Amino acid sequence: LTGTSREQRAFQYLLTHAIPGDPHHILQTFDQWCYHCEHLSCVGPDKGRIVERVLLEQAPLRVLELGTYCGYGTVLLAQGLPPGARLYTVEGDPQHAAVAEKVIRLAGFSEETVELIVGPSEEVIPRLREKHGLMNANLVFMDHWKRCYLRDLQLLESHQLLAEGATILADNVLFPGAPHFLQYAKTCGKYHCKVHRARLEY
Protein backbone atom coordinates (compact mmCIF):
# COMPACT_ATOMS: atom_id res chain seq x y z
CA LEU A 1 0.00 0.00 0.00
CA THR A 2 2.88 2.37 0.71
CA GLY A 3 4.52 1.66 -2.64
CA THR A 4 7.78 0.79 -0.89
CA SER A 5 9.37 -2.66 -0.66
CA ARG A 6 9.96 -4.61 2.56
CA GLU A 7 13.65 -3.94 2.14
CA GLN A 8 13.11 -0.19 1.85
CA ARG A 9 10.84 -0.22 4.89
CA ALA A 10 13.52 -2.07 6.86
CA PHE A 11 16.07 0.58 5.86
CA GLN A 12 13.74 3.37 7.00
CA TYR A 13 13.51 1.59 10.36
CA LEU A 14 17.32 1.44 10.50
CA LEU A 15 17.58 5.15 9.78
CA THR A 16 15.20 5.89 12.64
CA HIS A 17 16.54 3.46 15.26
CA ALA A 18 20.11 2.38 14.47
CA ILE A 19 23.31 4.15 15.51
CA PRO A 20 25.21 5.21 12.35
CA GLY A 21 28.74 3.86 12.19
CA ASP A 22 27.99 1.07 14.69
CA PRO A 23 27.84 -2.21 12.70
CA HIS A 24 26.82 -4.29 15.73
CA HIS A 25 23.89 -1.99 16.47
CA ILE A 26 22.89 -1.96 12.78
CA LEU A 27 22.60 -5.76 12.88
CA GLN A 28 20.70 -5.71 16.19
CA THR A 29 18.22 -3.21 14.74
CA PHE A 30 17.79 -5.36 11.63
CA ASP A 31 17.05 -8.31 13.91
CA GLN A 32 14.44 -6.32 15.85
CA TRP A 33 12.70 -5.41 12.58
CA CYS A 34 12.72 -9.01 11.36
CA TYR A 35 11.48 -10.46 14.66
CA HIS A 36 8.72 -7.94 15.27
CA CYS A 37 7.75 -6.31 11.96
CA GLU A 38 8.45 -8.15 8.69
CA HIS A 39 10.52 -11.22 7.86
CA LEU A 40 13.56 -10.69 5.66
CA SER A 41 15.82 -13.51 4.44
CA CYS A 42 18.88 -12.24 6.27
CA VAL A 43 21.50 -14.47 7.88
CA GLY A 44 20.15 -13.64 11.33
CA PRO A 45 21.88 -13.80 14.72
CA ASP A 46 22.04 -17.61 15.14
CA LYS A 47 23.79 -18.38 11.86
CA GLY A 48 25.60 -15.06 12.19
CA ARG A 49 27.57 -16.51 15.11
CA ILE A 50 28.87 -19.27 12.81
CA VAL A 51 30.03 -16.63 10.32
CA GLU A 52 31.70 -14.63 13.10
CA ARG A 53 33.52 -17.74 14.37
CA VAL A 54 34.83 -18.57 10.88
CA LEU A 55 36.06 -15.00 10.43
CA LEU A 56 37.82 -15.10 13.79
CA GLU A 57 39.50 -18.44 13.00
CA GLN A 58 40.48 -17.63 9.41
CA ALA A 59 41.23 -13.86 9.50
CA PRO A 60 40.74 -13.71 5.69
CA LEU A 61 42.23 -10.77 3.80
CA ARG A 62 40.05 -11.17 0.68
CA VAL A 63 36.41 -12.10 1.10
CA LEU A 64 33.78 -12.63 -1.61
CA GLU A 65 30.07 -12.60 -0.79
CA LEU A 66 27.59 -13.85 -3.38
CA GLY A 67 24.13 -12.48 -2.57
CA THR A 68 24.26 -9.09 -0.83
CA TYR A 69 20.47 -8.74 -0.51
CA CYS A 70 19.93 -5.93 2.07
CA GLY A 71 23.51 -5.86 3.28
CA TYR A 72 23.00 -7.70 6.57
CA GLY A 73 25.54 -10.42 5.76
CA THR A 74 27.86 -7.81 4.29
CA VAL A 75 27.92 -5.78 7.52
CA LEU A 76 28.35 -9.01 9.50
CA LEU A 77 31.35 -9.99 7.37
CA ALA A 78 32.86 -6.51 7.21
CA GLN A 79 32.83 -5.98 10.99
CA GLY A 80 34.84 -9.19 11.44
CA LEU A 81 37.54 -8.45 8.87
CA PRO A 82 41.16 -8.10 10.01
CA PRO A 83 42.91 -4.75 9.32
CA GLY A 84 43.69 -4.21 5.64
CA ALA A 85 41.19 -6.80 4.43
CA ARG A 86 38.73 -6.19 1.61
CA LEU A 87 35.23 -7.52 0.98
CA TYR A 88 33.69 -7.86 -2.48
CA THR A 89 29.93 -8.43 -2.45
CA VAL A 90 27.82 -9.29 -5.51
CA GLU A 91 24.08 -8.63 -5.86
CA GLY A 92 22.04 -9.37 -8.97
CA ASP A 93 18.95 -7.31 -8.08
CA PRO A 94 19.56 -3.55 -8.57
CA GLN A 95 16.79 -2.58 -6.12
CA HIS A 96 18.20 -4.76 -3.37
CA ALA A 97 21.68 -3.45 -4.17
CA ALA A 98 20.47 0.16 -3.78
CA VAL A 99 19.22 -0.62 -0.26
CA ALA A 100 22.35 -2.61 0.60
CA GLU A 101 24.64 0.21 -0.51
CA LYS A 102 22.94 2.58 1.95
CA VAL A 103 23.03 0.00 4.75
CA ILE A 104 26.75 -0.70 4.22
CA ARG A 105 27.64 3.00 4.26
CA LEU A 106 25.34 3.66 7.25
CA ALA A 107 27.32 1.00 9.13
CA GLY A 108 30.46 3.02 8.43
CA PHE A 109 32.23 0.94 5.78
CA SER A 110 33.90 2.77 2.90
CA GLU A 111 34.33 1.57 -0.68
CA GLU A 112 37.98 0.81 0.16
CA THR A 113 36.78 -1.86 2.62
CA VAL A 114 33.55 -3.04 0.97
CA GLU A 115 32.97 -2.98 -2.80
CA LEU A 116 29.40 -3.67 -3.90
CA ILE A 117 29.19 -5.11 -7.42
CA VAL A 118 25.77 -5.15 -9.12
CA GLY A 119 25.10 -7.86 -11.71
CA PRO A 120 24.37 -11.57 -12.17
CA SER A 121 27.00 -13.68 -10.43
CA GLU A 122 27.71 -15.73 -13.56
CA GLU A 123 28.68 -12.50 -15.36
CA VAL A 124 30.52 -10.87 -12.46
CA ILE A 125 32.72 -13.82 -11.39
CA PRO A 126 34.70 -14.06 -14.68
CA ARG A 127 35.46 -10.30 -14.43
CA LEU A 128 36.47 -10.18 -10.77
CA ARG A 129 40.22 -10.30 -11.36
CA GLU A 130 40.45 -8.02 -14.40
CA LYS A 131 37.78 -5.46 -13.53
CA HIS A 132 37.75 -5.46 -9.72
CA GLY A 133 41.27 -6.54 -8.79
CA LEU A 134 40.33 -9.65 -6.82
CA MET A 135 43.21 -12.04 -7.47
CA ASN A 136 41.71 -14.78 -5.29
CA ALA A 137 39.48 -15.11 -2.23
CA ASN A 138 40.38 -16.64 1.12
CA LEU A 139 36.72 -16.86 2.13
CA VAL A 140 33.60 -17.10 -0.03
CA PHE A 141 30.17 -16.66 1.54
CA MET A 142 27.32 -17.96 -0.64
CA ASP A 143 23.85 -16.71 0.21
CA HIS A 144 22.22 -16.10 -3.17
CA TRP A 145 20.03 -18.38 -5.31
CA LYS A 146 20.65 -21.95 -4.16
CA ARG A 147 20.43 -23.30 -7.73
CA CYS A 148 23.47 -21.14 -8.55
CA TYR A 149 25.76 -22.49 -5.81
CA LEU A 150 27.32 -25.31 -7.81
CA ARG A 151 27.63 -23.33 -11.03
CA ASP A 152 29.29 -20.41 -9.23
CA LEU A 153 31.65 -22.61 -7.23
CA GLN A 154 32.82 -24.21 -10.47
CA LEU A 155 33.17 -20.75 -12.05
CA LEU A 156 35.37 -19.68 -9.14
CA GLU A 157 37.46 -22.83 -9.64
CA SER A 158 37.80 -22.44 -13.40
CA HIS A 159 38.87 -18.78 -13.07
CA GLN A 160 41.32 -19.71 -10.28
CA LEU A 161 39.69 -17.30 -7.84
CA LEU A 162 40.02 -19.54 -4.77
CA ALA A 163 43.18 -19.06 -2.73
CA GLU A 164 44.97 -22.16 -1.48
CA GLY A 165 43.13 -23.38 1.62
CA ALA A 166 40.14 -21.13 0.94
CA THR A 167 36.92 -21.62 2.90
CA ILE A 168 33.51 -21.76 1.20
CA LEU A 169 30.66 -20.99 3.58
CA ALA A 170 27.26 -21.72 2.02
CA ASP A 171 23.93 -20.89 3.68
CA ASN A 172 20.69 -22.91 3.44
CA VAL A 173 22.20 -25.98 1.75
CA LEU A 174 19.71 -28.29 3.52
CA PHE A 175 16.62 -26.07 3.38
CA PRO A 176 15.52 -24.81 0.92
CA GLY A 177 18.52 -26.85 -0.17
CA ALA A 178 21.35 -27.05 -2.71
CA PRO A 179 21.70 -30.84 -3.14
CA HIS A 180 23.89 -30.79 -6.29
CA PHE A 181 26.29 -28.32 -4.67
CA LEU A 182 26.44 -30.41 -1.51
CA GLN A 183 27.03 -33.64 -3.41
CA TYR A 184 29.81 -32.06 -5.47
CA ALA A 185 31.52 -30.55 -2.41
CA LYS A 186 31.44 -33.91 -0.62
CA THR A 187 32.53 -36.13 -3.53
CA CYS A 188 34.83 -34.12 -5.83
CA GLY A 189 37.83 -34.64 -3.55
CA LYS A 190 38.81 -30.95 -3.36
CA TYR A 191 37.12 -30.03 -0.10
CA HIS A 192 36.78 -31.08 3.52
CA CYS A 193 33.07 -30.66 4.32
CA LYS A 194 31.31 -29.76 7.53
CA VAL A 195 27.56 -29.16 7.89
CA HIS A 196 26.60 -26.65 10.58
CA ARG A 197 23.16 -27.31 12.03
CA ALA A 198 21.25 -24.09 12.63
CA ARG A 199 17.72 -22.80 12.96
CA LEU A 200 16.07 -20.89 10.16
CA GLU A 201 16.48 -17.16 10.59
CA TYR A 202 13.89 -15.47 12.82
Side-chain angles (χ1 to χ4, degrees):
L1 290 174
T2 62
T4 59
S5 67
R6 278 188 305 174
E7 295 79 18
Q8 289 169 321
R9 291 193 291 274
F11 178 68
Q12 289 302 319
Y13 184 82
L14 283 183
L15 278 180
T16 307
H17 296 91
I19 301 169
D22 185 336
H24 184 67
H25 197 259
I26 296 276
L27 296 176
Q28 281 187 323
T29 309
F30 246 130
D31 292 335
Q32 287 171 358
W33 172 264
C34 294
Y35 277 124
H36 304 297
C37 301
E38 294 180 276
H39 179 272
L40 295 173
S41 297
C42 302
V43 178
D46 292 334
K47 290 188 284 187
R49 281 188 279 275
I50 297 170
V51 176
E52 288 172 332
R53 191 171 71 243
V54 170
L55 284 166
L56 196 60
E57 291 169 357
Q58 306 279 340
L61 288 175
R62 296 173 304 281
V63 179
L64 173 64
E65 179 186 32
L66 299 176
T68 317
Y69 188 40
C70 291
Y72 183 106
T74 315
V75 172
L76 180 68
L77 289 164
Q79 74 169 356
L81 292 177
R86 187 163 170 76
L87 168 60
Y88 302 80
T89 182
V90 180
E91 175 54 50
D93 185 319
Q95 291 182 316
H96 292 164
V99 172
E101 180 82 45
K102 291 184 278 193
V103 169
I104 293 162
R105 306 311 167 209
L106 184 69
F109 298 108
S110 69
E111 290 185 21
E112 283 70 42
T113 303
V114 179
E115 181 179 350
L116 174 59
I117 305 164
V118 184
S121 55
E122 72 270 23
E123 295 178 14
V124 171
I125 289 171
R127 303 195 311 254
L128 281 171
R129 180 174 288 117
E130 189 179 320
K131 189 171 180 183
H132 302 281
L134 175 61
M135 301 311 291
N136 52 41
N138 308 111
L139 173 66
V140 178
F141 182 49
M142 292 186 167
D143 196 16
H144 56 325
W145 293 107
K146 312 312 158 207
R147 65 175 184 271
C148 301
Y149 279 18
L150 177 57
R151 180 202 67 197
D152 288 351
L153 176 60
Q154 291 175 331
L155 270 177
L156 290 167
E157 290 174 349
S158 64
H159 286 86
Q160 298 179 315
L161 285 164
L162 298 175
E164 189 176 346
T167 298
I168 314 291
L169 194 57
D171 195 13
N172 303 122
V173 293
L174 298 180
F175 182 84
H180 299 298
F181 166 85
L182 208 52
Q183 183 184 22
Y184 176 77
K186 286 179 175 178
T187 61
C188 72
K190 301 175 187 176
Y191 304 101
H192 298 287
C193 290
K194 181 178 180 182
V195 176
H196 299 268
R197 300 284 172 173
R199 294 181 295 178
L200 283 176
E201 57 277 357
Y202 313 114

